[in-house]
Amino acid sequence: RDPLSVVSSAAPLRWVFASSRVVALSGYDGIPAMGVLGERLRGIASSAIDLSDGFAGDLQHVLESSAVGAQVHYASLPRAAAFARLADPRLEAECVLSGGDDYELLFTAAPAHRAELESLAAELGVALTRVGSIRAGAPTLELLDAAGRAMPQAAGFDHFRA
């Protein structure tokens, strides 16, 4: 399967990508690699955010700041191999969508930048995965399961929640 493609019925204004390291890096070791990727995305990405507060929460920040919506395919989201052994889909989804401190980047880029992104990923040795698309409209996240049905979603970490 092409790591930069996702089936979508809507023509994307921008694509949503999640980065993940090809080799597992422990703790804060991954920060420099993601920092280099972030710097190199200048002029390519139309938005970017680190996944410190969880995928769903951090993407929501991008959507609200950009006044757009997004459609994301849950099955396309990068995740640790350990989740395959978890055998608890609900807990897995909560961790994948709401867990923080992943030291990964979430960014959006126009489809015209595909070749540049593929080249950059190869040069830096990082895997970039297209997980959805940006759409005009309200700043809401539509999360779809493997069958294309809407999934419930938990919010990301909220620093100001009482």
Side-chain angles (χ1 to χ4, degrees):
R1 181 172 167 165
D2 182 345
L4 294 180
S5 67
V6 114
V7 176
S8 175
S9 60
L13 301 172
R14 285 178 280 163
W15 289 342
V16 181
F17 290 89
S19 67
S20 69
R21 294 178 291 277
V22 173
V23 279
L25 299 172
S26 62
Y28 292 89
D29 293 343
I31 293 174
M34 292 302 107
V36 171
L37 174 61
E39 288 176 9
R40 299 287 300 278
L41 286 172
R42 288 185 193 173
I44 299 173
S46 46
S47 67
I49 190 168
D50 72 300
L51 292 181
S52 59
D53 294 341
F55 178 87
D58 286 325
L59 178 54
Q60 190 62 45
H61 296 318
V62 170
L63 300 179
E64 290 170 1
S65 294
S66 303
V68 295
Q71 182 180 71
V72 169
H73 299 266
Y74 176 75
S76 298
L77 290 172
R79 67 199 73 197
F83 285 118
R85 298 183 305 270
L86 189 59
D88 185 341
R90 190 171 185 187
L91 178 59
E92 174 186 333
E94 183 178 332
C95 292
V96 169
L97 296 170
S98 303
D101 291 333
D102 293 327
Y103 309 108
E104 304 295 352
L105 295 178
L106 169 71
F107 66 93
T108 61
H113 292 294
R114 180 185 182 112
E116 288 174 273
L117 291 168
E118 289 173 338
S119 177
L120 181 60
E123 178 187 335
L124 298 179
V126 297
L128 299 180
T129 306
R130 181 176 171 216
V131 298
S133 58
I134 297 293
R135 302 182 303 173
T140 57
L141 169 58
E142 179 184 23
L143 185 67
L144 302 177
D145 67 14
R149 294 181 302 251
M151 288 179 63
Q153 51 194 293
F157 182 77
D158 182 352
H159 294 277
F160 302 103
R161 191 175 4 184

